[in-house]
């Protein structure tokens, strides 16, 4: 089949299916040209295979989808593809807080030779419908999310509507942490510290949800498997680029009952592994105990201590900045404490957080903006995929 006789994206002959192993590799080779960053294409392929065995992804947690034309002679043409990750989530509504399934959509890609024919839109329409009942195992999928790097309009056509997508950044720093006004009281977190804190954080999120609100309130759970998935990515890339694995996974400040902590991950965006520009230490999640019993000022002081360690880690791993998504008011104060020039940036084209609302199956309408149908709390970097 040549490019001049490809089927249109609305053709009834197109089919949504799952790729063979060879088709997965072929897709990785094509999208790796755009997404590999400083990795070689061989290392990028190794990373994708490695991530299939991470707890969140293995045993069917990660699903590959492709849109194909099965009608031609010979091997079928893979016109577009994506991946979905099954995530644990909560919905508060009608007096209840319910455990539900959420699917995160990522790696949406159509090869260059197949673009501008509507295959991406068709893929997302098909996947969006399928996810409503995909891997629900006795519960239901209440919503799915994705993170658009092509603005706010494309995915809205298929039901994923944009939610607030803001961040604040502070620069990486050098110097001795012992000389800081903040960091002596903060403690570094390592991989072995995270499971207990993730379990506590889950209870904090459950307590924050108001089941009597006018609209349903949703949250993706920052469970240990989700946090480990992010860390598996950074560990692989760190080893490939710099020959070592990051050990410090976050930091914590305060006494039990009033603790503030966060987890982070490092992402190398620059094509040159020796350069810092663009590389970012992303704060995955900020958690705080008994928020209502603490002042904004106290919370900000605690978080500033934690973020001071993040700045130091960022510099150590060739990061340019530390970035916090959709920061709470005390996080904004903390960031400005460390960098008075820090300001909120509202993203319009990249990493736009988008949600498609399914509800219980009877109260959803993909043409209505999801922001009118539900509220999304803890919309932070850990939800990204």
């Amino acid at each position: 089949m040549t490019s001049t006789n490809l089927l249109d994206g609305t053709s009834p002959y197109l089919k949504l299916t799952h790729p063979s192993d060879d088709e997965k590799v072929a897709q990785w080779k094509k999208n790796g040209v755009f997404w590999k960053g400083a990795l070689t294409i061989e290392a990028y392929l190794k990373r994708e295979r490695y991530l299939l065995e991470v707890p969140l992804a293995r045993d069917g947690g990660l699903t590959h989808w492709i849109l194909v034309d099965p009608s031609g002679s010979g091997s079928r043409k893979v016109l577009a593809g994506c991946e979905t990750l099954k995530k644990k989530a909560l919905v508060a509504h009608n007096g209840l807080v319910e455990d539900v399934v959420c699917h995160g959509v990522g790696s949406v890609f159509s090869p260059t030779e197949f673009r501008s024919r509507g295959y991406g839109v068709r893929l997302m329409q098909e996947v969006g419908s399928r996810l409503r009942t995909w891997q629900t195992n006795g519960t239901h999928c209440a919503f799915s999310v994705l993170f658009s790097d092509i603005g706010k309009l494309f995915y809205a056509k298929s039901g994923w509507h944009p939610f607030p997508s803001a961040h604040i950044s502070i620069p990486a720093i050098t110097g001795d942490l012992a000389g800081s006004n903040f960091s002596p009281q903060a403690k570094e977190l390592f991989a072995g510290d995270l499971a207990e804190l993730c379990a506590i954080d889950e209870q904090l999120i459950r307590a924050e949800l108001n089941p009597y609100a006018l609209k349903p309130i949703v949250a993706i759970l920052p469970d240990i498997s989700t946090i480990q998935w992010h860390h598996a990515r950074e560990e692989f890339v760190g080893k490939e680029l710099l020959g070592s694995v990051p050990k410090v996974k976050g930091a914590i400040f305060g006494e039990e009952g009033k603790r503030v902590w966060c987890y982070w991950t490092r992402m190398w965006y620059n094509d040159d592994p020796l350069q810092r520009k663009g590389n970012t230490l992303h704060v995955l999640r900020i958690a705080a105990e008994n928020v209502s019993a603490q002042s904004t000022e106290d919370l900000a002081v605690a978080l500033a201590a934690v973020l001071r360690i993040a700045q130091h880690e960022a510099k150590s791993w060739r990061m340019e900045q530390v970035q916090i998504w959709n920061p709470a008011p005390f996080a904004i104060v903390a960031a400005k404490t460390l960098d008075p020039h820090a300001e909120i940036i509202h993203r319009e084209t990249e990493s736009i957080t988008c949600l498609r609302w399914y509800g219980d199956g009877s109260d959803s309408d993909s043409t209505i903006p999801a922001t009118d149908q539900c509220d999304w709390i803890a919309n932070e970097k850990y939800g990204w995929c």
Side-chain angles (χ1 to χ4, degrees):
M1 181 182 295
T2 66
S3 60
T4 56
N5 61 6
L6 289 169
L7 295 175
D8 183 77
T10 61
S11 170
Y13 297 105
L14 299 182
K15 179 182 179 182
L16 181 71
T17 187
H18 305 293
S20 67
D21 288 342
D22 287 344
E23 287 170 329
K24 287 179 193 175
V25 173
Q27 281 287 92
W28 290 338
K29 287 181 178 178
K30 290 183 177 182
N31 63 40
V33 173
F34 301 92
W35 297 341
K36 66 182 181 65
L39 294 174
T40 65
I41 194 65
E42 292 78 14
Y44 177 80
L45 296 177
K46 283 174 58 180
R47 189 195 72 178
E48 296 306 290
R49 293 189 187 97
Y50 168 71
L51 289 176
L52 294 177
E53 301 304 319
V54 174
L56 187 68
R58 66 178 176 229
D59 300 325
L62 178 71
T63 303
H64 294 85
W65 305 88
I66 54 173
L67 183 72
V68 301
D69 176 8
S71 63
S73 59
S75 61
R76 61 190 183 183
K77 295 285 187 182
V78 178
L79 306 172
C82 68
E83 301 170 355
T84 57
L85 266 173
K86 182 181 179 183
K87 299 170 178 280
K88 295 180 180 179
L90 301 172
V91 173
H93 191 42
N94 293 331
L96 300 171
V97 175
E98 183 182 8
D99 289 87
V100 299
V101 169
C102 162
H103 293 288
V105 183
S107 299
V108 180
F109 182 79
S110 182
T112 305
E113 64 269 27
F114 299 142
R115 293 178 183 174
S116 301
R117 295 178 180 272
Y119 299 139
V121 171
R122 176 66 176 275
L123 171 75
M124 298 310 296
Q125 290 171 342
E126 297 275 354
V127 169
S129 296
R130 189 75 67 88
L131 291 180
R132 183 188 296 270
T133 56
W134 185 249
Q135 297 178 325
T136 49
N137 300 326
T139 180
H140 72 279
C141 178
F143 63 101
S144 60
V145 298
L146 59 79
F147 302 84
S148 172
D149 287 330
I150 52 174
K152 299 181 177 181
L153 299 179
F154 177 82
Y155 292 107
K157 298 175 185 176
S158 301
W160 281 273
H161 298 279
F163 269 68
S165 302
H167 67 262
I168 194 166
S169 298
I170 54 177
I173 60 165
T174 55
D176 185 1
L177 284 174
S180 166
N181 292 327
F182 305 105
S183 53
Q185 303 94 332
K187 175 186 173 184
E188 296 172 338
L189 292 174
F190 301 92
D193 301 319
L194 303 189
E196 180 181 358
L197 291 172
C198 285
I200 294 170
D201 193 16
E202 177 179 335
Q203 297 308 311
L204 295 175
I205 288 181
R206 288 180 184 274
E208 186 178 350
L209 294 170
N210 177 10
Y212 299 100
L214 294 178
K215 290 188 294 185
I217 304 174
V218 307
I220 300 171
L221 285 175
D223 61 359
I224 187 62
S225 293
T226 297
I227 302 303
Q228 287 175 337
W229 180 82
H230 287 280
H231 289 159
R233 290 173 59 92
E234 75 162 2
E235 288 169 5
F236 181 93
V237 179
K239 184 69 173 178
E240 284 289 325
L241 297 183
L242 304 177
S244 58
V245 172
K247 300 296 185 183
V248 179
K249 305 300 186 183
I252 188 168
F253 174 94
E255 61 186 28
E256 189 169 348
K258 292 185 177 180
R259 294 176 296 182
V260 175
W261 68 87
C262 70
Y263 328 115
W264 52 64
T265 191
R266 303 152 183 86
M267 300 186 80
W268 290 265
Y269 297 108
N270 198 302
D271 289 343
D272 184 347
L274 300 179
Q275 298 299 316
R276 300 179 184 275
K277 186 172 178 59
N279 297 339
T280 302
L281 186 147
H282 286 281
V283 173
L284 293 172
R285 165 70 178 156
I286 296 172
E289 295 174 313
N290 292 318
V291 170
S292 61
Q294 301 192 64
S295 68
T296 297
E297 181 182 16
D298 288 343
L299 290 166
V301 168
L303 183 58
V306 167
L307 292 178
R308 188 71 172 175
I309 293 180
Q311 288 180 291
H312 181 77
E313 281 293 307
K315 199 69 172 184
S316 299
W317 288 90
R318 295 183 184 167
M319 305 282 108
E320 180 182 23
Q321 62 185 344
V322 175
Q323 190 175 106
I324 306 167
W325 277 17
N326 293 322
F330 75 88
I332 297 172
V333 174
K336 288 182 173 292
T337 299
L338 296 169
D339 177 15
H341 301 292
E343 59 182 30
I344 295 289
I345 302 298
H346 295 275
R347 301 187 298 277
E348 297 295 333
T349 56
E350 295 184 348
S351 295
I352 305 300
T353 60
C354 303
L355 184 148
R356 176 166 173 163
W357 175 244
Y358 298 121
D360 63 6
S362 63
D363 61 348
S364 64
D365 184 343
S366 64
T367 65
I368 299 175
T371 48
D372 293 340
Q373 300 187 79
C374 66
D375 289 325
W376 180 1
I377 69 164
N379 179 2
E380 300 175 52
K381 183 68 176 184
Y382 74 86
W384 175 90
C385 59

